């Protein structure tokens, strides 16, 4: 059996001692191998030693800077898609060299090589992320200019996608609105009108903007009322979900997640952040919750990673009161959780968070209502929930889990699961 990480290292070694035509072939092969690396294999490859080695190859003229940039951008692209986090590039001799090159190129008064500067910025952001505010004014104008290109050729779409994906790596850093807001709003609006971005580029634009809310709450109105985030996310997830073969067995998928699967995972993480940080809501959120319940239904058998982030999202939605308990019932979330925890292949994580959600729903329905109208609505909701749970054999399911409540609390270092069964039941 060929170990992909060893194959990648072998190809890099061979890259040192071959001609230009062969180098192109080797780099294409390396690109394919990188895409096939699973998370663990990628971690074993993505090291300081790797980047120090590439730096030596550049120094010894065994790898041109042009080829190095192509290879590194592809590494950064794969790193972003795999949601892999590492500081190894910034700690390497190559990372330090790139940092100096960016500053030197930007400070040139004449004959500034803008394309070279963009390549350097994309590489650094994709591989490391820029953590100092002094760099914001260097890379932001250039990358946003690339991301704002309107041509619809595949080559330009790829450039736009790469620029937006690089900007995602600014994480939650505080960045002045005047450096990005009008451009990113225009990029999202244009896609909403003309559908001109790739799915990854679209999700990246949204991730970048949602991440800014962490340090600037004034963006909520733009996100909810002007750009209609929930509506946009619902549409994007619906399209992506149709591209996934949800019945594909786990073993068949091992280490071979499709781009659509990875983008869905990223979208749900982003929506969870949105629910955590944004207090402003509108009626479009219901459609989004329904869409994610549908994904949980589809993913529960063979897609544990996606199932887990869906459960995380519903947990946050309840905690932040983004949706009421009766709303989760009408959206299909309760159905999805019940089916999920009754799966023969149930994992501890899903069991723990699924039971926490059911306990929160029960607690919410038992809570004191503020007025008579709300009390009447609450009783009606309780009747619906009770009927649904009774049909699903809910009480028997909870009872069957009762013996492991204590184990799950210890397993996840929590005390969230009450040992009292009545805390999970809904009485009319």
């Amino acid at each position: 059996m060929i170990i992909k990480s060893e194959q990648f290292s072998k190809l890099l070694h061979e890259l040192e001692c071959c001609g230009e035509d062969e180098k192109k072939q080797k780099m294409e092969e390396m690109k394919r191998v990188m895409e096939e690396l699973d998370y663990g294999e990628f971690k074993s490859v993505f090291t300081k030693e790797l980047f120090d080695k590439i730096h030596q190859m550049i120094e010894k003229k065994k790898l041109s800077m042009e080829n190095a940039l192509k290879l590194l951008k592809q590494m950064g692209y794969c790193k972003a898609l795999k949601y892999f986090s590492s500081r190894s590039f910034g700690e390497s001799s190559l990372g330090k060299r790139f940092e100096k090159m960016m500053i030197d190129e930007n400070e040139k008064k004449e004959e500034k090589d803008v394309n070279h500067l963009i390549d350097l910025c994309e590489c650094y952001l994709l591989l490391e992320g820029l953590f100092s505010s002094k760099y914001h004014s260097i890379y932001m104008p250039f990358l946003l200019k690339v991301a704002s290109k309107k041509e619809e050729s595949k080559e330009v779409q790829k450039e736009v996608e790469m620029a937006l994906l690089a900007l995602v790596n600014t994480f939650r850093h505080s960045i002045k609105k005047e450096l990005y807001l009008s451009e990113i709003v225009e990029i999202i609006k244009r896609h909403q009108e003309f559908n001109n971005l790739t799915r990854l580029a679209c999700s990246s634009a949204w991730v970048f903007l949602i991440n800014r809310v962490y340090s600037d709450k004034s963006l909520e109105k733009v996100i909810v009322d002007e750009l209609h985030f929930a509506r946009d996310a619902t549409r994007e997830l619906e399209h992506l979900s149709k591209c996934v073969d949800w019945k594909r067995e786990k073993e068949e998928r091992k280490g071979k997640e499709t781009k659509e699967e990875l983008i869905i995972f990223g979208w749900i993480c982003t929506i969870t952040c949105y629910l955590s940080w944004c207090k402003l809501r509108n009626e479009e959120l219901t459609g989004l919750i329904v869409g994610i319940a549908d994904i949980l239904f589809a993913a529960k058998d063979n897609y544990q990673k996606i199932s887990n982030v869906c459960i995380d999202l519903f947990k946050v939605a309840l905690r932040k009161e983004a949706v009421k308990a009766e709303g989760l019932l009408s959206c299909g979330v309760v159905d999805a959780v019940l089916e999920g925890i009754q799966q023969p292949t149930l994992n501890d994580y899903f069991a723990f968070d699924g039971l926490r959600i059911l306990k929160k729903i029960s607690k919410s329905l038992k809570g004191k209502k503020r007025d008579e109208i709300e009390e009447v609505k609450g009783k009606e909701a309780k009747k619906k929930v009770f009927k649904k749970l009774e049909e699903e054999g809910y009480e028997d399911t909870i009872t069957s889990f009762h013996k492991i409540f204590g184990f799950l609390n210890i397993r996840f270092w929590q005390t969230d699961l009450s040992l009292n069964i009545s805390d999970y039941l809904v009485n009319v």
Side-chain angles (χ1 to χ4, degrees):
M1 180 181 173
I2 299 173
I3 299 173
K4 293 290 181 184
S5 55
E6 291 180 3
Q7 188 180 357
F8 178 84
S9 299
K10 181 174 179 288
L11 286 165
L12 181 65
H13 177 71
E14 292 172 353
L15 202 61
E16 282 191 271
C17 44
C18 60
E20 280 304 308
D21 289 340
E22 200 176 346
K23 270 186 170 58
K24 289 180 182 177
Q25 184 184 335
K26 295 284 182 193
M27 285 175 64
E28 279 300 312
E29 209 173 331
M30 289 173 80
K31 174 184 173 183
R32 178 184 56 78
V33 172
M34 267 191 285
E35 289 171 351
E36 293 175 358
L37 292 172
D38 65 25
Y39 190 91
E41 290 170 330
F42 196 83
K43 184 178 181 180
S44 71
V45 164
F46 200 94
T47 62
K48 176 180 178 293
E49 289 71 27
L50 168 71
F51 298 117
D52 285 338
K53 166 79 172 170
I54 293 173
H55 186 233
Q56 288 173 10
M57 290 168 67
I58 295 169
E59 288 281 281
K60 293 177 181 178
K61 312 293 185 188
K62 292 183 177 180
L63 184 66
S64 68
M65 181 58 73
E66 182 184 356
N67 281 335
L69 285 166
K70 286 178 183 176
L71 178 62
L72 291 164
K73 280 171 82 168
Q74 188 59 39
M75 284 196 74
Y77 186 81
C78 290
K79 172 180 177 277
L81 272 183
K82 294 177 193 295
Y83 296 92
F84 178 76
S85 179
S86 169
R87 298 296 308 277
S88 54
F89 179 76
E91 293 167 357
S92 70
S93 53
L94 184 61
K96 292 177 173 60
R97 175 174 181 161
F98 271 40
E99 194 171 339
K100 185 177 185 304
M101 287 170 69
M102 280 189 298
I103 294 168
D104 290 347
E105 190 65 50
N106 187 62
E107 288 179 348
K108 285 182 180 178
K109 301 297 181 187
E110 296 177 2
E111 298 182 2
K112 188 181 295 185
D113 189 339
V114 173
N115 290 331
H116 184 54
L117 182 55
I118 288 168
D119 284 338
L120 289 168
C121 290
E122 285 181 350
C123 273
Y124 199 95
L125 273 170
L126 286 165
L127 293 167
E128 178 69 12
L130 294 171
F131 293 90
S132 172
S133 58
K134 68 183 178 182
Y135 295 118
H136 294 166
S137 59
I138 294 179
Y139 67 80
M140 196 65 70
F142 295 111
L143 293 188
L144 284 171
K145 187 174 181 180
V146 174
S148 300
K149 287 184 176 182
K150 294 181 173 61
E151 299 94 318
E152 294 184 7
S153 68
K154 283 190 176 180
E155 185 181 322
V156 170
Q157 278 195 326
K158 187 67 178 177
E159 288 177 20
V160 170
E161 182 180 84
M162 194 68 83
L164 288 168
L165 195 60
L167 286 171
V168 169
N169 267 19
T170 53
F171 301 112
R172 301 172 191 170
H173 307 156
S174 179
I175 302 173
K176 293 176 181 176
K177 279 192 290 193
E178 55 266 30
L179 285 175
Y180 69 85
L181 188 57
S182 61
E183 290 87 349
I184 209 75
V185 166
E186 179 59 32
I187 287 166
I188 291 171
K189 281 185 173 180
R190 182 170 174 77
H191 176 66
Q192 289 171 340
E193 185 176 356
F194 299 106
N195 196 31
N196 63 304
L197 298 175
T198 66
R199 297 296 159 189
L200 181 57
C202 173
S203 67
S204 298
W206 273 115
V207 172
F208 173 78
L209 188 56
I210 296 290
N211 280 344
R212 308 278 74 76
V213 179
Y214 184 78
S215 55
D216 188 349
K217 302 298 180 188
S218 69
L219 292 171
E220 288 187 38
K221 192 166 180 60
V222 174
I223 289 167
V224 176
D225 292 339
E226 185 178 346
L227 294 176
H228 300 277
F229 170 71
R231 186 179 67 195
D232 218 31
T234 304
R235 183 175 58 245
E236 290 294 318
L237 284 172
E238 186 179 337
H239 175 90
L240 288 161
S241 190
K242 288 175 182 176
C243 301
V244 175
D245 178 5
W246 294 108
K247 297 189 183 300
R248 197 157 64 109
E249 295 294 333
K250 292 178 188 176
E251 287 305 312
E252 187 187 338
R253 290 188 300 103
K254 196 171 182 181
K256 296 178 182 177
E257 292 171 299
T258 66
K259 185 187 261 192
E260 288 80 12
E261 292 164 18
L262 291 165
I263 298 172
I264 286 172
F265 175 84
W267 261 113
I268 295 170
C269 292
T270 302
I271 295 162
T272 303
C273 291
Y274 161 75
L275 295 174
S276 298
W277 302 334
C278 290
K279 293 181 180 178
L280 191 61
R281 323 278 188 202
N282 62 20
E283 66 282 356
E284 294 165 356
L285 186 59
T286 301
L288 180 55
I289 297 292
V290 170
I292 295 166
D294 289 342
I295 287 173
L296 178 56
F297 264 119
K300 64 184 175 0
D301 292 332
N302 298 316
Y303 288 75
Q304 181 180 323
K305 185 176 172 181
I306 291 177
S307 295
N308 289 346
V309 290
C310 286
I311 286 289
D312 273 341
L313 184 145
F314 296 136
K315 188 173 61 184
V316 171
L318 275 170
R319 189 177 75 242
K320 293 292 183 178
E321 298 181 344
V323 62
K324 292 184 178 180
E326 49 268 37
L328 288 183
L329 177 72
S330 63
C331 290
V333 173
V334 173
D335 297 27
V337 172
L338 277 174
E339 281 202 21
I341 65 173
Q342 293 177 61
Q343 289 295 309
T345 54
L346 177 67
N347 65 82
D348 291 346
Y349 187 96
F350 193 104
F352 182 68
D353 276 342
L355 289 164
R356 288 168 84 187
I357 285 174
L358 295 173
K359 192 186 89 167
K360 283 179 180 291
I361 289 171
S362 174
K363 183 179 178 182
S364 173
L365 291 169
K366 290 173 184 173
K368 190 176 179 181
K369 306 301 177 184
R370 286 176 297 182
D371 54 44
E372 288 183 19
I373 295 173
E374 204 173 87
E375 184 69 38
V376 171
K377 287 182 179 177
K379 284 181 180 178
E380 287 301 313
K382 270 202 257 188
K383 285 178 183 177
K384 288 180 183 177
V385 174
F386 181 80
K387 185 178 179 183
K388 177 66 184 174
L389 299 184
E390 197 174 34
E391 288 170 359
E392 296 289 339
Y394 173 75
E395 192 167 335
D396 289 339
T397 300
I398 291 294
T399 303
S400 72
F401 274 100
H402 185 242
K403 290 179 182 177
I404 67 166
F405 285 178
F407 160 75
L408 290 172
N409 276 335
I410 293 169
R411 166 88 168 76
F412 295 101
W413 296 74
Q414 298 285 341
T415 57
D416 288 25
L417 294 184
S418 168
L419 302 184
N420 187 351
I421 287 182
S422 65
D423 287 342
Y424 301 84
L425 304 182
V426 178
N427 301 311
V428 180

